[in-house]
Amino acid sequence: MRKIMQEKLKVAVLGGTGMVGQRFVSLLDNHPWFEVTTIAASPRSAGKTYAEAIGDRWKMTTPMPEAVKNIIVKDVSDVENVAKDVDFCFSAVDMSKEEIKAIEERYAKTETPVVSNNSAHRWTPDVPMIIPEVNPEHAEIIEAQKKRLGTTNGFIAVKPNCSIQSYAPVLHAWREFEPTKVLVSTYQAISGAGKTFKDWPEMVGNVIPFISGEEEKSEKEPLRIFGHIEGDHIEPATSPLITSQCIRVPVLNGHTATVFVDFKKKPTKEELIKLLVEYKGEPQRLELPSAPKQFIQYLQDDNRPQVALDVDFERGFGISIGRLREDTMFDYKFVGLSHNTVRGAAGGAVLGAELLKAKGYIHKK
Ligand SMILES: NC(=O)c1ccc[n+]([C@@H]2O[C@H](COP(=O)([O-])OP(=O)(O)OC[C@H]3O[C@@H](n4cnc5c(N)ncnc54)[C@H](OP(=O)(O)O)[C@@H]3O)[C@@H](O)[C@H]2O)c1
C-alpha cells in the first residue's frame, strides 16, 4: 500500500541569518515534517535574498541548501507579515532580552507557536523548557500559558542553555541514586558565542575564564528541567546543589564538562554506566525524525570523549561520557561532551518541535 505523504508544516526561522539560524536552515533541509518557507532577520537583511543577506557569513561546513537561497528575508519585527504564511517558527534572534520576550509573545499571539533557542523566556513560569528525553511532560504547562496569552494554538516553548547538555541528562539518568551535590567546570566552544576562528582570531591558542551569565544558567537551569508542574507553573527542583565555572576554550564546536557528583545512595560504577547506555526517552520511543538512536554513549578509553573524535556522535544529537571513576572528595567524577550548536542549540529545538508536533501541540494552522 502506498504511504500517503503528509503535507509538511511551514516554518519561519527568526534570526535565520545568524550562526544558530544557519544551523536551523541546514538541519531542516529535507526534513520529513518541516519545511523552511520564511526567514526573518534584522532590517539590515530584510528585502535581500537569503544568499545575498548571508554574503560571506555562511559558517556551516555543509553548503547553503538550494531551497533557501532565493527566499526573500523579512524583518523579524514585521510580525503579522512573517507569521501569516507559516504554521510555527523557530527563534534565534539576537536582541535584548526584553525585546526577545516581547516579540516572541507577539508571534504566539498571532496563533503561531514559537520554539525558541533564546534564554529570554526560560524562567517565564508557564513556558516549558524542554530537553525532549528528560522532561517531555513539561509540555503540558502549555495549556496554562495559552490561557494567560488568550490564544488557542499560539505558545512559546524553549530549550535550555548549551552548557548543561553535557551533564544534566546524565544526572537525570542517575536520579534513582539521588545526586545531592554537583561541581562542574565547562570548557566551551567558540561557536557558542556565534563565532568561528576567522571572526575571533584572539581565541587561537587562548583560554578565557569568563562567559557572561553562563555560570548562573549552568547551576540553575537543570533544576527547572528536573522540576514539576504545579498548577499554572513549573516548580523547579531543589536538588542537587550545583556549582560551576564556565571557561571559553579554543574549540570550534563541542562543549566539554568535567563533573564531580555526590549521591544520597552511593551506586556502583557498573550501575551508573548501565543507566547511561540504556537511557531512552520519548524521542526514542516515538522514533522522532531527529532522535538519536543512542542518546548517551559511554566510552571506556581513558582519552575519550574527545572533541575531535566524538562531537558528531549521533549527528551531534547524542552525548558522550567517559572517565567515570571514584573520587577522593566526591563519590564519582566523569567527563561529558555534547555538540553545542546541534544538541545545545538548533538541533535541540528541532527535536523539541518534533516532540511538540507528535504530541499535537504544533499542527497545520
Ligand atoms: N551560538 C550558540 O551556540 C547559541 C547557543 C544558545 C543560544 N544562543 C542564542 O541564540 C541567539 C542567536 O545566537 P547566534 O549565535 O546565532 O547570533 P548571531 O550569529 O549574532 O545572529 C543573530 C541573528 O539575529 C538577527 N538580529 C540581530 N539584531 C536584530 C534586530 N535588531 N532585529 C531583528 N533581528 C536581529 C541577526 O540578523 P542580521 O543578520 O540581519 O544582523 C541574525 O539573524 C542569541 O540570543 C544567543 O544568545 C546561541
Side-chain angles (χ1 to χ4, degrees):
M1 204 170 70
R2 259 185 66 211
K3 210 173 167 186
I4 299 165
M5 284 283 285
Q6 252 194 345
E7 209 188 327
K8 290 187 187 183
L9 298 186
K10 293 192 169 116
V11 179
V13 180
L14 314 179
T17 50
M19 171 78 120
V20 178
Q22 292 176 25
R23 181 69 74 181
F24 272 120
V25 164
S26 303
L27 286 171
L28 293 169
D29 190 30
N30 294 317
H31 191 281
W33 295 357
F34 309 144
E35 180 184 6
V36 176
T37 55
T38 301
I39 296 173
S42 80
R44 294 179 290 277
S45 303
K48 298 178 185 167
T49 64
Y50 185 61
E52 281 165 3
I54 292 282
D56 64 358
R57 294 188 290 160
W58 186 251
K59 294 178 182 178
M60 302 296 106
T61 49
T62 50
M64 182 184 292
E66 286 299 324
V68 295
K69 281 187 175 165
N70 292 319
I71 291 178
I72 304 292
V73 178
K74 294 183 178 179
D75 183 341
V76 168
S77 307
D78 202 357
V79 177
E80 298 289 339
N81 184 32
V82 174
K84 69 180 168 48
D85 296 326
V86 297
D87 298 307
F88 76 102
C89 59
F90 288 109
S91 173
V93 280
D94 197 7
M95 300 161 93
S96 76
K97 214 170 205 173
E98 287 317 309
E99 285 173 312
I100 293 174
K101 263 188 165 170
I103 210 150
E104 291 185 347
E105 283 208 1
R106 282 176 63 201
Y107 275 91
K109 285 182 177 169
T110 66
E111 301 295 358
T112 310
V114 179
V115 181
S116 181
N117 179 68
N118 291 306
S119 62
H121 275 295
R122 286 191 195 145
W123 289 90
T124 304
D126 56 15
V127 168
M129 173 160 70
I130 295 177
I131 297 178
E133 282 84 352
V134 176
N135 61 333
E137 73 284 0
H138 284 196
E140 289 164 26
I141 200 67
I142 286 170
E143 294 310 328
Q145 188 195 145
K146 286 188 201 165
K147 211 176 267 180
R148 173 176 62 85
L149 294 173
T151 56
T152 318
N153 297 312
F155 64 86
I156 301 158
V158 299
K159 52 148 284 294
N161 199 45
C162 46
S163 61
I164 74 167
Q165 317 273 348
S166 310
Y167 60 93
V170 172
L171 298 174
H172 186 72
W174 293 342
R175 62 195 176 283
E176 68 185 76
F177 295 110
E178 299 180 44
T180 51
K181 279 189 194 161
V182 178
L183 185 155
V184 51
S185 296
T186 62
Y187 303 80
Q188 301 194 194
I190 62 171
S191 58
K195 301 273 202 268
T196 61
F197 286 110
K198 190 175 136 212
D199 37 49
W200 202 1
E202 299 80 7
M203 273 310 297
V204 177
N206 198 9
V207 165
I208 297 181
F210 177 67
I211 305 174
S212 180
E214 207 75 350
E215 285 162 1
E216 194 185 358
K217 291 174 188 167
S218 300
E219 292 170 0
K220 296 204 174 131
E221 288 188 10
L223 297 174
R224 188 159 196 257
I225 298 282
F226 301 152
H228 63 277
I229 293 179
E230 216 172 275
D232 60 358
H233 69 281
I234 307 276
E235 185 65 28
T238 49
S239 78
L241 289 175
I242 304 174
T243 182
S244 78
Q245 294 203 82
C246 298
I247 312 289
R248 188 73 73 195
V249 295
V251 160
L252 181 59
N253 292 311
H255 288 355
T256 299
T258 60
V259 189
F260 299 77
V261 192
D262 261 350
F263 294 93
K264 196 164 175 188
K265 307 168 192 162
K266 190 173 173 180
T268 65
K269 179 178 168 179
E270 290 66 35
E271 284 172 321
L272 292 176
I273 291 175
K274 188 168 184 299
L275 284 171
L276 294 184
V277 298
E278 290 180 356
Y279 189 108
K280 280 193 192 336
E282 284 284 273
Q284 287 72 34
R285 275 190 284 277
L286 295 168
E287 297 184 7
L288 299 178
S290 301
K293 287 209 161 34
Q294 173 106 39
F295 180 33
I296 306 175
Q297 70 168 341
Y298 186 77
L299 298 157
Q300 299 286 350
D301 287 354
D302 279 343
N303 62 1
R304 305 286 282 278
Q306 278 181 35
V307 169
L309 299 177
D310 303 312
V311 73
D312 290 325
F313 169 60
E314 290 278 10
R315 300 159 287 115
F317 283 88
I319 295 168
S320 299
I321 305 299
R323 304 213 64 211
L324 179 67
R325 60 217 191 277
E326 291 201 43
D327 181 52
T328 49
M329 291 179 71
F330 285 76
D331 287 330
Y332 284 95
K333 54 190 167 190
F334 68 92
V335 179
L337 169 69
S338 63
H339 197 304
N340 56 296
T341 65
V342 182
R343 171 55 76 167
V350 170
L351 189 59
E354 291 170 2
L355 176 81
L356 293 167
K357 180 190 178 293
K359 291 192 170 289
Y361 292 100
I362 294 178
H363 45 72
K364 278 261 159 222
K365 262 185 183 166

